[in-house]
């Protein structure tokens, strides 16, 4: 598009613009407003709350948008889009020319324009254009990457400009938050034949889907379309144009359904799929579409509303190693037991689910480790051999206690029980020994330390028999730190590895849970 044509044209519906503070909006109306002189531009802001209304002014509707995202502005208050080549010149030519200008840009014909603080563009004459072009070429040659996030780019520029700019050889392009609103402009990026990574996050497209079939992005391996308000169908249409696609990011698109073109066909090579912060509420929705992907190793689903996970089929998710499920609504241990059935799973994130919030950070972590035998990383932290052994033994003891209280049918609620018995034995000797035995009466050196910020009392070290119970420990803590017994929370910190073990059952003894001498008892409250 020629610079003169760009300057003379009016804003059109669907155009993407920015204000002087950089906030993005879509043009929804251009024309007169009753009671106000001149021409106005009606805007739908990307950010909720940025506007003042829903497109209705003094009872008259000029356009429609969500409440609090609409406003009217004068044209001179808005910045319209520029070409990709022009944005490059602004980036590497900033400060050249008029010292009072905000930015300097070129139309691509050798002419230079100053963009003033009010958004007005004024033609100026400067020297050094060859130097700027040389600097652009050096940067692109050296890095092979083009990063222009939050830029004013709305179109690529003429083909001859692209060829002469060195852009055709870049391998990574970040145009996130730019003003591109046309799938046709996205299609023109196929000229970048070496492009391997493309980030188009936070773009708002004027049409819901490409009007024609997209060309092939022959080298593209990573595609980022976060917060673009696109559907799963559109995402698959774009992905189908990327035959080598290995990583697809679709965060924050309000996706609730994963239906449409066969993902198993479109995503044959996909290794990573990021669906975080969407509206997916059913694991069945996920499994129906994705379970057959042969190379899918990493699936990110944090920030959705999934509340349960059934056990997968024997061939489902065969390559899945990492599954992120933080900030969902999982509230049953059966979902964790199901994760133990994923053949290749080694990393899981479950933080922020009701299940772990109820169980406590330490106790919940240990139970997850015990229930998922293949787990190597939980919530971003490595699972060490000693931690696994402690967790499994503690879990097995709990099952044995449940059996003693409720009968053998309890085993059905713990699918790993017999596997753990084979690994650690039945732990029939794990019940507390009589108080008059040598082991029960041997003294352990234990340090009590209050972790509450409001507590100013120093740690206290005591010698205690191994038979002392958790309930008695709470009485001691009440006397030492003045914390009400009913609100006390105790955890053991082992002296060698620093591993934490939550003391959850009042009848357990120090001996029963395997507390060695030299350990520290961390004292807090249930709400911390």
């Amino acid at each position: 598009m020629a610079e003169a044509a760009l300057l003379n044209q009016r804003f059109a519906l669907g155009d993407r613009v920015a204000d002087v503070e950089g906030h993005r909006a879509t043009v929804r109306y251009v024309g007169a407003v009753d009671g106000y002189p001149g021409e106005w531009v009606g805007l739908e802001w990307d950010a909720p709350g940025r506007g003042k209304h829903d497109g209705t002014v003094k009872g008259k509707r000029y356009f429609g948008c969500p409440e609090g995202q609409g406003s009217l502005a004068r044209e001179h208050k808005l910045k319209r889009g520029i070409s990709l080549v022009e944005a490059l010149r602004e980036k590497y030519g900033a400060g050249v020319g008029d010292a009072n200008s905000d930015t300097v840009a070129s139309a691509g014909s050798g002419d230079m324009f100053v963009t003033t603080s009010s958004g007005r563009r004024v033609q100026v004459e400067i020297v050094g254009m060859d130097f700027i072009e040389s600097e652009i070429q050096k940067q692109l040659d050296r890095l092979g990457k083009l990063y222009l996030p939050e830029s004013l780019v709305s179109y690529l520029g003429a083909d001859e400009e692209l060829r002469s700019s060195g852009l055709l050889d870049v391998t990574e392009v970040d145009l996130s938050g730019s003003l591109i609103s046309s799938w046709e402009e996205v299609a023109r990026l196929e000229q970048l034949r070496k492009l391997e990574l493309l980030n188009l996050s936070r773009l708002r497209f004027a049409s819901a889907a490409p009007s024609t079939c997209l060309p092939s992005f022959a080298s593209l391996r990573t595609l980022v379309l976060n917060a673009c308000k696109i559907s799963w169908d559109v995402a698959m249409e774009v992905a189908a144009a990327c035959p080598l696609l290995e990583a697809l990011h679709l965060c924050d698109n309000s996706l609730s359904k994963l239906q449409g073109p066969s993902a198993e066909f479109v995503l044959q090579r996909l290794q990573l799929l990021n669906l975080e912060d969407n509206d997916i509420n059913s694991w069945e929705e996920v499994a129906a579409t994705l379970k057959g992907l042969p190379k899918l190793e990493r699936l990110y689903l944090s920030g959705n509303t999934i509340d349960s996970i059934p056990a997968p089929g024997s061939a489902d998710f065969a390559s899945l190693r990492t599954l992120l499920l933080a900030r969902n609504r999982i509230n049953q241990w059966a979902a964790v037991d199901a994760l133990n059935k994923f053949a290749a799973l080694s990393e899981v994130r479950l933080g922020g689910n009701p299940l772990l919030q109820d169980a406590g950070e330490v106790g919940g972590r240990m139970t997850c480790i015990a229930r998922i035998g293949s787990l190597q990383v939980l919530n971003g932290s490595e699972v060490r051999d000693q931690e696994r052994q402690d967790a499994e033994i503690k879990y097995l003891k709990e099952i044995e206690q449940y059996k003693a209280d409720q009968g053998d049918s309890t085993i059905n609620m713990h699918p790993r029980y017999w596997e753990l018995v084979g690994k650690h034995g039945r732990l029939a000797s794990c019940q507390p020994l009589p108080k008059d035995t040598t082991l029960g009466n041997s003294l352990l050196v234990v340090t009590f330390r209050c972790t509450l910020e409001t507590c100013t009392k120093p740690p206290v070290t005591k010698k205690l028999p191994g038979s002392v119970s958790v309930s008695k420990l709470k009485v001691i803590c009440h006397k030492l730190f003045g914390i009400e017994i009913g609100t006390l929370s105790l955890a053991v910190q082992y002296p060698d590895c620093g591993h934490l073990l939550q003391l959850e059952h009042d009848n357990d003894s120090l001996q029963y849970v395997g507390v060695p001498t030299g350990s520290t008892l961390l004292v807090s409250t249930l709400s911390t």
Side-chain angles (χ1 to χ4, degrees):
M1 181 184 299
E3 181 70 24
L6 182 63
L7 288 173
N8 291 331
Q9 74 174 14
R10 300 175 64 203
F11 283 113
L13 300 186
D15 279 357
R16 296 284 289 161
V17 297
D19 65 8
V20 293
E21 297 178 1
H23 297 284
R24 267 49 178 169
T26 302
V27 175
R28 298 300 187 201
Y29 173 78
V30 179
V33 175
D34 291 350
Y36 298 92
E39 187 172 82
W40 294 82
V41 181
L43 303 172
E44 178 183 344
W45 297 100
D46 292 358
R50 177 66 182 168
K52 299 179 179 180
H53 48 70
D54 64 352
T56 301
V57 179
K58 293 185 176 181
K60 181 175 180 178
R61 178 171 291 279
Y62 293 90
F63 60 95
C65 72
E67 180 64 41
Q69 287 183 238
S71 64
L72 295 163
R74 295 294 192 183
E75 183 173 342
H76 71 272
K77 297 280 189 178
L78 304 173
K79 296 181 179 180
R80 61 173 75 243
I82 61 176
S83 75
L84 178 60
V85 176
E86 188 176 352
L88 274 175
R89 292 182 178 133
E90 284 193 358
K91 183 172 182 178
Y92 297 109
V96 179
D98 187 348
N100 295 319
S101 68
D102 295 316
T103 56
V104 179
S106 167
S109 61
D111 298 329
M112 296 296 294
F113 292 81
V114 171
T115 304
T116 68
S117 59
S118 65
R120 192 167 59 91
R121 300 166 71 81
V122 180
Q123 183 175 345
V124 297
E125 180 181 354
I126 70 169
V127 296
M129 203 53 212
D130 290 343
F131 172 76
I132 295 174
E133 299 285 2
S134 175
E135 286 301 300
I136 294 174
Q137 189 64 56
K138 286 179 182 178
Q139 287 283 67
L140 295 176
D141 287 345
R142 181 170 64 87
L143 300 176
K145 302 173 183 179
L146 172 62
Y147 293 124
L148 289 170
E150 309 304 323
S151 69
L152 296 178
V153 173
S154 63
Y155 63 103
L156 301 191
D159 288 345
E160 58 271 19
E161 287 186 313
L162 292 176
R163 287 191 291 270
S164 64
S165 66
L167 283 170
L168 300 188
D169 291 326
V170 299
T171 59
E172 296 184 13
V173 171
D174 183 351
L175 292 172
S176 57
S178 69
L179 301 183
I180 292 175
S181 61
S182 162
W183 288 107
E184 286 70 28
E185 286 302 317
V186 172
R188 294 184 62 212
L189 288 170
E190 61 90 21
Q191 298 176 75
L192 283 56
R193 305 305 297 174
K194 297 181 181 180
L195 188 62
E196 296 182 2
L197 183 152
L198 177 60
N199 188 350
L200 299 176
S201 295
R202 301 184 302 285
L203 268 58
R204 297 288 188 271
F205 293 99
S207 59
S211 57
T212 58
C213 184
L214 290 173
S216 175
F217 293 86
S219 300
L220 197 67
R221 298 179 184 273
T222 299
L223 177 62
V224 188
L225 293 170
N226 296 335
C228 288
K229 292 189 174 182
I230 60 173
S231 68
W232 177 257
D233 286 356
V234 171
M236 290 302 95
E237 188 171 347
V238 179
C242 310
L244 300 183
L245 193 64
E246 296 175 351
L248 177 60
H249 297 263
L250 297 171
C251 300
D252 194 19
N253 277 298
S254 301
L255 298 174
S256 59
K257 301 294 183 183
L258 307 182
Q259 300 174 353
S262 173
E264 195 167 345
F265 173 77
V266 173
L267 305 177
Q268 273 287 311
R269 301 176 63 93
L270 199 71
Q271 299 175 23
L272 184 156
L273 178 59
N274 190 344
L275 294 170
E276 293 189 338
D277 298 313
N278 281 291
D279 297 326
I280 302 168
N281 62 13
S282 165
W283 178 261
E284 286 76 7
E285 184 77 30
V286 174
T289 305
L290 306 177
K291 65 183 180 181
L293 298 186
K295 295 188 177 182
L296 184 63
E297 297 181 356
R298 291 177 286 172
L299 178 57
Y300 300 168
L301 290 165
S302 296
N304 284 279
T305 57
I306 297 169
D307 60 5
S308 63
I309 302 174
S314 59
D316 295 350
F317 296 100
S319 300
L320 190 65
R321 295 187 296 105
T322 299
L323 179 58
L324 307 190
L325 288 164
R327 296 178 289 109
N328 275 272
R329 297 180 181 175
I330 297 171
N331 56 15
Q332 299 291 331
W333 285 112
V336 178
D337 292 331
L339 298 180
N340 188 52
K341 300 295 185 180
F342 286 75
L345 194 63
S346 62
E347 179 178 3
V348 172
R349 292 199 178 187
L350 290 167
N353 281 282
L355 182 66
L356 266 64
Q357 292 172 343
D358 294 342
E361 181 179 354
V362 176
R365 177 178 174 84
M366 294 192 74
T367 304
C368 287
I369 292 170
R371 287 179 180 255
I372 309 174
S374 60
L375 203 57
Q376 298 177 16
V377 180
L378 176 60
N379 295 336
S381 177
E382 180 183 358
V383 177
R384 300 185 181 275
D385 292 343
Q386 184 63 53
E387 184 181 18
R388 171 162 292 284
Q389 178 175 306
D390 293 344
E392 290 179 348
I393 290 176
K394 179 178 181 294
Y395 178 53
L396 194 51
K397 289 178 180 179
E398 291 175 351
I399 300 174
E400 296 289 1
Q401 186 64 54
Y402 296 147
K403 280 180 58 185
D405 295 341
Q406 304 172 24
D408 289 348
S409 61
T410 305
I411 295 175
N412 296 330
M413 300 172 59
H414 305 279
R416 288 199 74 208
Y417 173 73
W418 290 112
E419 178 188 349
L420 295 178
V421 167
K423 183 177 181 180
H424 300 291
R426 293 184 67 95
L427 298 181
S429 62
C430 69
Q431 298 300 322
L433 298 176
K435 291 184 179 180
D436 58 356
T437 64
T438 302
L439 180 59
N441 283 325
S442 61
L443 297 180
L444 303 174
V445 178
V446 178
T447 298
F448 293 78
R449 181 163 66 86
C450 183
T451 61
L452 297 175
E453 293 182 0
T454 56
C455 182
T456 59
K457 296 182 179 181
V460 177
T461 300
K462 288 183 174 290
K463 292 183 178 180
L464 301 171
S467 59
V468 69
S469 66
V470 172
S471 61
K472 291 181 180 180
L473 291 174
K474 290 183 177 180
V475 173
I476 295 173
C477 292
H478 171 66
K479 293 179 179 179
L480 291 175
F481 304 111
I483 303 173
E484 291 297 324
I485 292 176
T487 65
L488 272 167
S489 174
L490 297 180
V492 177
Q493 185 174 42
Y494 288 81
D496 296 328
C497 62
H499 170 60
L500 294 178
L501 172 64
Q502 195 78 25
L503 301 181
E504 298 175 333
H505 305 294
D506 284 352
N507 293 329
D508 289 350
S509 67
L510 294 179
Q511 168 198 330
Y512 179 87
V513 296
V515 175
T517 191
S519 296
T520 300
L521 279 178
L522 303 180
V523 184
S524 61
T525 61
L526 293 174
S527 59
T528 61

